[in-house]
Structures are given as C-alpha cells and as structure tokens.
C-alpha cells in the first residue's frame, strides 16, 4: 500500500508505537508484570504521558489485559494486532508497516518521526524520550536507537 500512494509527511509529528504482543515464550504476561508497584506497560504509558515531544501514541496489541489498561488512558489510540504479525518470529518492520498503513488510511498523512517504545524497557523515562527526539531534530539524523 505505501508504495502506491503519494504520501504527505506531517513535519515534526512524532508518533509513538507501543508494541505489546501477547504470547511471550520466555515470560508469560510480561507486559503486566510489576516492577515495584507498577506494571511494565504502565511505566511506558507514564513516560509517554509526561513527554512534551510525542504527538500521538498508538498501542499495537493482541493482549486483552494490556488493551484494557490502555482504554483507561485518554491519550492512547489502540490498534488490534493481527495474528499474522503476532508470531514469536514477527519482526518490528512488520508491525511498523502495519501501523503506518493503518494510520495513513485514517489520517491521510504519515508522521515525520516514528518512535518505538517497548514496554520491556522499564527504566526509560520521559526525559530519555524527549532528549532522543531533540537529538534527532537538532542533528537532522534519520534514526536513533538507545541501548543499555
């Protein structure tokens, strides 16, 4: 679909994608596990809520528990993750392409920046997110990944 459409890019629009696939082979229900008093997914949602640089957030999930949590947040749009991209072998390119295509079909533009915020990164906070976005904007770089 993306190849056949002349796309309008919305400048400085930052779309955060939170991928939360159900069915982890190593740690069951990992997105709702707690670190201290907070669930992993809530730590990610809290950081997004405090960010001053994220324009829109989309949760992509096939996990009803995570979707139920997200529905209580008034700043998160929810896309149901299809089975064909919910396998343990599915990679991030598949779900990013899916989200962009769906987003484009609803909004008629694509964001200039896409941020993937995995719930399994509990010690990332909103300052890390905003600094990363600022770095991309200042240095005009194509991509950035943080690794600890």
């Amino acid at each position: 679909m993306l190849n056949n459409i002349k796309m309008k890019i919305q400048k400085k629009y930052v779309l955060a994608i939170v991928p939360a696939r159900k069915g982890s082979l190593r740690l069951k229900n990992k997105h709702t596990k707690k670190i201290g008093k907070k669930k992993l997914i809530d730590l990610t949602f809290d950081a997004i809520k405090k960010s001053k640089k994220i324009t829109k957030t989309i949760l992509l999930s096939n996990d009803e528990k995570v979707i139920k949590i997200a529905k209580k947040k008034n700043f998160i749009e929810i896309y149901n993750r299809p089975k064909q991209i919910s396998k343990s072998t599915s990679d991030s390119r598949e779900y990013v392409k899916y989200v962009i295509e769906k987003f484009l079909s609803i909004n008629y533009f694509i964001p200039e920046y896409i941020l993937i915020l995995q719930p399994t990164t509990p010690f990332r906070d909103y300052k890390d997110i905003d600094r990363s976005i600022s770095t991309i904007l200042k240095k005009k770089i194509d991509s950035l990944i943080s690794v600890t």
Side-chain angles (χ1 to χ4, degrees):
M1 178 179 169
L2 293 177
N3 296 332
N4 301 332
I5 295 175
K6 185 175 180 181
M7 293 176 275
K8 179 182 173 197
I9 297 174
Q10 183 75 38
K11 295 290 182 187
K12 295 187 179 178
Y13 194 104
V14 179
L15 175 65
I17 300 171
V18 180
R21 182 182 68 83
K22 183 179 179 176
S24 173
L25 299 175
R26 291 179 280 181
L27 186 60
K28 299 284 182 212
N29 302 312
K30 68 182 173 185
H31 302 300
T32 55
K33 297 283 186 205
K34 288 186 177 182
I35 291 189
K37 295 180 181 181
K38 292 250 181 172
K39 294 175 182 164
L40 281 176
I41 195 71
D42 283 323
L43 292 169
T44 295
F45 290 159
D46 290 351
I48 291 167
K49 180 74 173 165
K50 289 180 183 176
S51 170
K52 293 178 178 34
K53 307 238 182 226
I54 294 173
T55 312
K56 182 182 230 38
T57 302
I58 294 174
L59 169 71
L60 180 66
S61 186
N62 61 340
D63 186 331
E64 284 305 317
K65 289 179 185 178
V66 172
I67 291 169
K68 186 176 178 182
I69 293 166
K71 283 181 177 177
K72 295 177 184 174
K73 315 289 182 184
N74 61 357
F75 64 95
I76 298 169
E77 196 167 319
I78 301 166
Y79 290 1
N80 289 313
R81 190 169 177 155
K83 280 185 182 182
Q84 65 267 27
I85 60 169
S86 296
K87 302 172 190 151
S88 62
T89 56
S90 298
D91 68 28
S92 57
R93 289 175 296 186
E94 292 176 280
Y95 69 72
V96 170
K97 182 177 183 251
Y98 175 82
V99 169
I100 292 170
E101 286 177 349
K102 184 164 178 148
F103 182 90
L104 177 62
S105 72
I106 295 167
N107 299 286
Y108 304 105
F109 70 88
I110 61 171
E112 185 173 18
Y113 302 101
I114 297 168
L115 183 65
I116 299 171
L117 297 172
Q118 297 172 325
T120 52
T121 308
F123 302 115
R124 164 205 57 224
D125 67 11
Y126 77 97
K127 292 175 192 169
D128 299 322
I129 294 168
D130 286 351
R131 276 193 299 263
S132 296
I133 295 167
S134 292
T135 298
I136 286 177
L137 293 172
K138 280 183 204 165
K139 297 191 179 202
K140 297 182 179 166
I141 55 179
D142 292 333
S143 61
L144 181 141
I145 186 169
S146 66
V147 180
T148 302

